[in-house]
């Protein structure tokens, strides 16, 4: 059965997130973007109304929402401001390897903290010399008794400056390539140095930092999954979180399209609102198609996860298409605004800057194409249609 009808609970959830975005995020989004203001008050409020940590299962005190539910929320909050939503949503990325690889006791401990207070966690994979090529990372985890000791540096870490704990990937067998990586849950302590808060082009209200581990000790119980199986855990994590990124990109595209529609009805040139000109109508039509298809691909990739199926291919389809579409729609929205679109006083300039990162983080559009090509060329996938 193929049915994208939302349940009443899902509609309510979407309305709650939209209201929050409209009342709490939109009014400050452009101001926060200007100075890169950290949205702590919004984080506190989102935590209070239950729009954070929606992934945490009920047995650990969370709402235990599904992946599609999460995407509904993410699209609305990113419609408000994708920078602020990146801050609100990063706990989901840090928690995915915990969900996949931690013991019951460790989940109780770490999820419990996220639910009790508006605390933050970060996902530490990327390094200065290891971006798309994950297995070239240099961070080490050396066994010392029943602990591991981590020396290494991670960069571009979302919420890095504000996180209480980190999910960190490190080499446990440096000669074994991707089969020698492990994942660890690391509490912030004095051995961890946070610096280089990045001054970014877009999503300026999100925090992006460098996190350096100086002989940081980690207990054996905080290894996530099996030792040396960290690479697969990272890939499985990204399969689970890329639908959310696609949902955010859809939110940016929708916001840009709405601003372009409103402006095109007000702006008069050649004696009529520019919305009367076919050149503008076709741009708006293309925007609407891209938003629609981005959402469908996003929902498809999330529903597969909710059904317990592997979604590697669909997740990359959604992330690639929605991110590229967000960039195209935001760029065209600036075009509809003409010269005014280039001015910071008008809203679409920020959206064009924000959209750019969607094609970069959680796997560039080129990496998504690499995954799509590999998955599509595999005979197994051809014999097994997308949503089967
Ligand atoms: N699920 C399970 N296993 C998987 C998998 C998946 N989705 N993808 C690959 N694997 C397995 C393979 O089957 C293979 O297994 P074996 O060891 O049994 O052979 C193994 O993993 C290695 O796979 P590949 O040969 O495909 O690995 P690769 O080195 O060629 O890399 C890649 C593949 C797709 C390029 C991967 O490295 C990748 O996704 N890179 C992008 C990284 C990325 O997205 N970074 C974003 C960082 S997070 C972030 O941006 C958030 C933030 O805070 C800003």
């Amino acid at each position: 059965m193929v049915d994208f009808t939302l349940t009443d609970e899902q509609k309510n959830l979407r309305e709650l997130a939209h209201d929050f975005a409209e009342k709490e995020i939109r009014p400050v989004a452009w101001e926060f973007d200007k100075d890169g203001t950290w949205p702590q008050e919004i984080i506190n409020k989102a935590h209070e109304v239950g729009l954070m940590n929606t992934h945490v299962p009920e047995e650990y005190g969370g709402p235990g929402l599904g992946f599609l539910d999460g995407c509904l929320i993410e699209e609305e909050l990113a419609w408000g401001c994708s920078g602020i939503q990146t801050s609100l949503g990063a706990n989901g990325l840090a928690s995915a390897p915990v969900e996949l690889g931690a013991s019951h006791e460790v989940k109780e401990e770490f999820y419990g903290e996220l639910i009790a207070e508006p605390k933050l966690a970060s996902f530490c994979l990327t390094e200065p010399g290891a971006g798309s090529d994950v297995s070239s990372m240099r961070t080490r985890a050396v066994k010392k008794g029943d602990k591991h000791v981590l020396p290494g540096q991670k960069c571009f870490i979302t919420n890095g400056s504000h996180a209480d704990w980190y999910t960190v990937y490190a080499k446990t067998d440096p000669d074994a390539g991707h089969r020698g990586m492990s994942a660890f849950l690391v509490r912030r302590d004095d051995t961890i140095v946070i610096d280089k808060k990045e001054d970014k082009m877009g999503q300026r209200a999100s925090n992006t930092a460098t996190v350096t581990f100086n002989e940081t000790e980690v207990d054996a119980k905080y290894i996530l999954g099996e030792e040396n199986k960290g690479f697969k855990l990272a890939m499985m994590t990204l399969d689970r979180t890329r639908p959310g990124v696609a949902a955010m990109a859809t939110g940016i595209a929708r916001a840009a399209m709405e601003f372009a529609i409103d402006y095109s009805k007000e702006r008069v040139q050649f004696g009529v609102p520019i919305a009367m000109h076919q050149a503008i109508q076709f741009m708006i039509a293309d925007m609407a198609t891209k938003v629609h298809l981005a959402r469908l691909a996003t929902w498809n990739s999330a529903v597969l996860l909710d059904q317990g199926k592997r979604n590697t291919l669909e997740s990359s389809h959604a992330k690639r298409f929605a991110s590229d579409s967000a960039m195209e729609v935001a760029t065209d929205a600036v075009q509809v605004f003409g010269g005014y679109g280039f001015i910071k006083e008008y809203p679409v300039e920020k959206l064009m800057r924000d959209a750019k990162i969607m094609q970069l983080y959680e796997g560039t559009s080129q990496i998504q194409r690499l995954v799509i090509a590999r998955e599509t060329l595999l005979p197994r996938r051809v014999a097994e249609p997308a949503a089967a």
Side-chain angles (χ1 to χ4, degrees), residues 203-264:
Q203 297 206 347
R204 293 174 53 77
S206 73
N207 170 266
T208 308
T210 295
V211 181
T212 307
F213 302 93
N214 298 295
E215 306 301 314
T216 306
E217 291 193 349
V218 190
D219 269 14
K221 67 176 175 182
Y222 295 139
I223 295 186
L224 297 171
E226 281 178 62
E227 201 166 331
N228 295 325
K229 297 274 173 67
F231 185 90
K232 281 195 188 182
L233 197 71
M235 294 303 114
M236 290 170 74
T237 293
L238 294 167
D239 285 351
R240 282 159 177 70
T241 56
R242 284 174 180 157
V245 179
M248 286 174 60
T250 308
I252 297 174
R254 195 178 110 216
M257 176 179 75
E258 289 174 5
F259 281 122
I261 290 170
D262 290 349
Y263 185 78
S264 71

Side-chain angles (χ1 to χ4, degrees), residues 86 90 93 123 125-126 131-135 155-159 178-179 208 231-233 235-236 238-239 242 310 312 357 360-364 367-368 370-371 374-375:
T86 291
L93 176 61
F123 180 77
L125 184 68
T126 304
S132 296
D133 183 9
V134 171
S135 61
C155 65
F156 302 156
I157 304 306
T158 299
N159 289 351
H178 73 264
R179 295 191 179 129
T208 308
F231 185 90
K232 281 195 188 182
L233 197 71
M235 294 303 114
M236 290 170 74
L238 294 167
D239 285 351
R242 284 174 180 157
R310 182 165 171 173
T312 306
I357 190 65
L360 303 170
Y361 67 17
E362 292 207 32
T364 62
I367 288 297
Q368 306 312 324
L370 190 81
V371 174
R374 287 181 182 178
E375 291 281 315

Side-chain angles (χ1 to χ4, degrees), residues 205-349:
S206 73
N207 170 266
T208 308
T210 295
V211 181
T212 307
F213 302 93
N214 298 295
E215 306 301 314
T216 306
E217 291 193 349
V218 190
D219 269 14
K221 67 176 175 182
Y222 295 139
I223 295 186
L224 297 171
E226 281 178 62
E227 201 166 331
N228 295 325
K229 297 274 173 67
F231 185 90
K232 281 195 188 182
L233 197 71
M235 294 303 114
M236 290 170 74
T237 293
L238 294 167
D239 285 351
R240 282 159 177 70
T241 56
R242 284 174 180 157
V245 179
M248 286 174 60
T250 308
I252 297 174
R254 195 178 110 216
M257 176 179 75
E258 289 174 5
F259 281 122
I261 290 170
D262 290 349
Y263 185 78
S264 71
K265 289 178 181 170
E266 285 164 16
R267 173 75 171 163
V268 174
Q269 290 289 279
F270 302 105
V272 290
I274 60 171
M276 302 292 282
H277 298 303
Q278 204 175 50
I280 301 296
Q281 288 172 7
F282 283 7
M283 286 171 84
I284 302 285
D286 284 348
M287 289 181 193
T289 303
K290 285 171 187 169
V291 170
H292 179 64
L293 295 183
R295 187 180 295 120
L296 286 181
T298 300
W299 287 14
N300 176 221
S301 66
V303 165
L304 288 174
L305 287 173
D306 286 332
Q307 293 172 343
K309 292 178 180 162
R310 182 165 171 173
N311 73 336
T312 306
L313 174 63
E314 293 76 13
S315 185
S316 284
H317 277 319
K319 163 65 167 81
R320 202 293 288 161
F321 184 79
S323 299
D324 289 352
S325 294
M327 193 67 241
E328 289 159 13
V329 171
T331 306
D332 280 351
V334 169
Q335 195 69 20
V336 169
F337 273 70
Y340 292 111
F342 201 59
I343 311 279
K344 282 189 181 289
E345 197 183 325
Y346 289 81
V348 286
E349 175 267 354

Side-chain angles (χ1 to χ4, degrees), residues 20-315:
F20 189 86
E22 197 162 44
K23 296 193 180 105
E24 306 292 344
I25 299 180
R26 272 272 171 111
V28 296
W30 277 261
E31 198 55 39
F32 280 25
D33 168 73
K34 222 183 275 169
D35 303 325
T37 309
W38 175 244
Q40 188 59 50
E41 271 189 35
I42 297 177
I43 292 171
N44 296 346
K45 283 183 191 162
H47 186 268
E48 198 181 310
V49 299
L51 288 170
M52 284 179 74
N53 306 309
T54 56
H55 55 278
V56 174
E58 284 175 0
E59 65 173 312
Y60 301 109
L65 296 183
F67 288 93
L68 177 59
D69 303 332
C71 285
L72 298 175
I73 294 174
E74 278 161 313
E75 180 183 329
E76 297 311 315
L77 298 182
W79 171 90
C81 173
S82 60
I84 293 173
Q85 165 51 20
T86 291
S87 310
L88 296 175
N91 282 359
L93 176 61
S95 298
V98 176
E99 187 54 30
L100 289 165
S103 66
H104 174 65
E105 288 70 32
V106 170
K107 283 183 191 173
E108 268 186 335
E109 181 184 344
F110 285 82
Y111 284 160
E113 290 175 16
L114 292 185
I115 295 300
E117 283 177 67
K119 288 193 169 183
L120 298 174
S122 294
F123 180 77
C124 298
L125 184 68
T126 304
E127 298 185 4
S132 296
D133 183 9
V134 171
S135 61
S136 68
M137 70 171 51
R138 300 182 61 172
T139 296
R140 294 283 314 275
V142 184
K143 217 167 204 159
K144 194 171 128 192
D146 60 350
K147 292 182 192 296
H148 278 86
V149 178
L150 268 64
Q153 188 172 69
K154 300 288 177 179
C155 65
F156 302 156
I157 304 306
T158 299
N159 289 351
S161 307
H162 302 275
D164 281 288
W165 51 268
Y166 304 90
T167 42
V168 185
Y169 294 82
K171 285 274 173 76
T172 28
D173 183 356
D175 299 324
H178 73 264
R179 295 191 179 129
M181 261 172 67
S182 305
F184 297 87
L185 243 173
V186 182
R187 268 197 191 286
R188 187 166 178 168
D189 67 19
D190 292 346
T191 66
I192 300 174
V193 174
I194 316 290
D195 55 11
K196 203 163 180 290
K197 176 184 173 292
E198 304 291 352
D199 187 6
K200 305 190 297 285
M201 171 196 281
Q203 297 206 347
R204 293 174 53 77
S206 73
N207 170 266
T208 308
T210 295
V211 181
T212 307
F213 302 93
N214 298 295
E215 306 301 314
T216 306
E217 291 193 349
V218 190
D219 269 14
K221 67 176 175 182
Y222 295 139
I223 295 186
L224 297 171
E226 281 178 62
E227 201 166 331
N228 295 325
K229 297 274 173 67
F231 185 90
K232 281 195 188 182
L233 197 71
M235 294 303 114
M236 290 170 74
T237 293
L238 294 167
D239 285 351
R240 282 159 177 70
T241 56
R242 284 174 180 157
V245 179
M248 286 174 60
T250 308
I252 297 174
R254 195 178 110 216
M257 176 179 75
E258 289 174 5
F259 281 122
I261 290 170
D262 290 349
Y263 185 78
S264 71
K265 289 178 181 170
E266 285 164 16
R267 173 75 171 163
V268 174
Q269 290 289 279
F270 302 105
V272 290
I274 60 171
M276 302 292 282
H277 298 303
Q278 204 175 50
I280 301 296
Q281 288 172 7
F282 283 7
M283 286 171 84
I284 302 285
D286 284 348
M287 289 181 193
T289 303
K290 285 171 187 169
V291 170
H292 179 64
L293 295 183
R295 187 180 295 120
L296 286 181
T298 300
W299 287 14
N300 176 221
S301 66
V303 165
L304 288 174
L305 287 173
D306 286 332
Q307 293 172 343
K309 292 178 180 162
R310 182 165 171 173
N311 73 336
T312 306
L313 174 63
E314 293 76 13
S315 185

